[in-house]
Amino acid sequence: MASTTPVLDAHRLRLVRALADFVHTLGPREVLEVGCGDGALVRSLRAKGRNVRGVELDEDLARSCAEGGLDVVRGDGASLEDGDRSIDVVVLRDVLSCAEDPAAVAAEAWRVARRCVVIVEPEYAAGLPSQAMMEWLDALVDELRFSSGQPALHALTAGEILDLFPDRPGVVETRGFGILTSAPPDEIDAIVARAAGAGTASEVQLAQAAALREDAGRGDITYPGSRVLVAFRPDAIRDDVEDEPDPVETAEGEVTLREIALDDAAGVFRIHPRPSQQRFVAPNVISLAQAALTPHAWFRGVYVGDTAVGFVMVSTDPDDAESPYLWRFMIDARHQGRGVGRRALNLVCEHFAAQGAEHLHASITEGPGSPRPFYESLGFVDTGRVEDGETVLRRDITVLSGQNA
């Protein structure tokens, strides 16, 4: 039977693939998804070579996954059969917000997780034109879940999620996957028809649905994204990644800075810092999008030989007294500790020194894992100023003009 919401289905698949890419960067050998549904994430992670299993409460979904060749069993997330700290990463995708006992599910996931628990919750606010429409969509989703015998969703804040765990996680990192996909009017009609057919939608909700359809006709509506929270065990935070074959690990050659062509973008997207560093730097997909929309952004890929291993972006606004300003800088986790970052940042300084700049400014977030020691080792000094909660640093680069660092 053909889907009545093909654009929505494709959107959900893209979100799953984005999530799979993110989980993959955490470097797990074993992954357990609790509440795996149709097995889309299990399938995506397996394609990346991960040892991944799934647990699903719904008997029909669990059987369908198993018949499709996935390692999925029927089970309750509040009572897992796995041993204590036996799985590297446990994923709870759209589970806690609708579980009968979310604290029990969180406690079980925390018990069996060796390194971290990844919590994924829907974020309906992404792209919606108003608070009223967000509330309407929340209500409609609840109506649809109720009509199919599922419990209603209850959106949880990050604080509420952390309070569910028996022990407070030591490190928490959040990322959002807001892939924008316009909702065509016919798909909005299909969703509304399901609610109306079930007899659960009120007159007010149907009236709001009509308004939502008009907005969709103007292209103003986008489907929801996902909010991701990663709860790490304090004693399992690792700055290294798994020792497994990877092209980056074996990359050899000179460190260079290269312009990023369209064909190179996919490789840059796959570059990620260590998990404990991700709260200090935005993902490269966001940085490249900002670079495309910023007139004075100078950005380059960091390469070792022909392998992309990092990304740098500098603001060159002539009206800014702190220009050039190091906006983004990161080296892939698998290539750190080999002097690549030091050489790349020296190349950046040489480039702007040759153009007559006297200083390169940067800003850092203070706290455990802060890159301050790295920058200070390269000659950056504290200016004593704090902007947007970040400490501003400066390096004198006049001595580099015409020289090789």
Side-chain angles (χ1 to χ4, degrees), residues 55-102:
V55 173
E56 172 55 46
L57 183 61
D58 185 278
E59 185 174 359
D60 291 337
L61 286 174
R63 181 172 57 252
S64 176
C65 288
E67 291 175 349
L70 300 180
D71 189 359
V72 174
V73 298
R74 183 176 183 273
D76 187 348
S79 180
L80 299 174
E81 296 182 358
D82 298 273
D84 295 354
R85 306 187 69 160
S86 60
I87 306 295
D88 289 326
V89 175
V90 178
V91 179
L92 304 176
R93 182 167 59 99
D94 302 340
V95 171
L96 295 180
S97 58
C98 59
E100 291 186 11
D101 189 348

Side-chain angles (χ1 to χ4, degrees), residues 140-159:
L140 181 57
V141 169
D142 277 349
E143 298 285 0
L144 295 176
R145 294 181 66 85
F146 177 79
S147 65
S148 61
Q150 302 178 66
L153 287 167
H154 301 284
L156 300 173
T157 66

Side-chain angles (χ1 to χ4, degrees), residues 68-286:
L70 300 180
D71 189 359
V72 174
V73 298
R74 183 176 183 273
D76 187 348
S79 180
L80 299 174
E81 296 182 358
D82 298 273
D84 295 354
R85 306 187 69 160
S86 60
I87 306 295
D88 289 326
V89 175
V90 178
V91 179
L92 304 176
R93 182 167 59 99
D94 302 340
V95 171
L96 295 180
S97 58
C98 59
E100 291 186 11
D101 189 348
V105 175
E108 273 295 270
W110 192 244
R111 178 183 66 80
V112 304
R114 181 181 300 119
R115 295 179 59 190
C116 64
V117 177
V118 178
I119 303 100
V120 187
E121 293 290 318
E123 194 165 46
Y124 295 115
L128 294 176
S130 67
Q131 178 69 21
M133 285 300 175
M134 181 188 74
E135 293 174 353
W136 174 85
L137 185 54
D138 277 338
L140 181 57
V141 169
D142 277 349
E143 298 285 0
L144 295 176
R145 294 181 66 85
F146 177 79
S147 65
S148 61
Q150 302 178 66
L153 287 167
H154 301 284
L156 300 173
T157 66
E160 290 171 334
I161 290 173
L162 294 180
D163 287 341
L164 295 173
F165 287 89
D167 303 313
R168 192 73 172 184
V171 174
V172 176
E173 300 173 1
T174 58
R175 288 184 61 177
F177 296 108
I179 301 174
L180 300 182
T181 302
S182 295
D186 58 340
E187 291 209 357
I188 295 296
D189 285 344
I191 294 172
V192 173
R194 286 177 57 196
T200 56
S202 67
E203 292 296 326
V204 173
Q205 289 172 338
L206 291 176
Q208 290 175 324
L212 182 64
R213 187 194 186 285
E214 291 180 6
D215 288 337
R218 294 192 296 268
D220 295 335
I221 298 297
T222 56
Y223 284 128
S226 292
R227 175 168 50 96
V228 179
L229 182 150
V230 185
F232 287 95
R233 282 189 173 278
D235 57 349
I237 300 170
R238 294 177 51 188
D239 277 347
D240 62 317
V241 293
E242 303 294 352
D243 297 326
E244 55 186 40
D246 190 282
V248 176
E249 292 183 0
T250 57
E252 296 180 358
E254 182 183 6
V255 177
T256 58
L257 305 178
R258 301 186 190 179
E259 293 186 15
I260 300 174
L262 181 60
D263 292 342
D264 302 325
V268 175
F269 291 162
R270 288 193 291 269
I271 296 171
H272 300 279
R274 296 169 178 170
S276 59
Q277 299 168 336
Q278 289 174 358
R279 61 194 175 106
F280 297 113
V281 62
N284 287 339
V285 63
I286 293 177

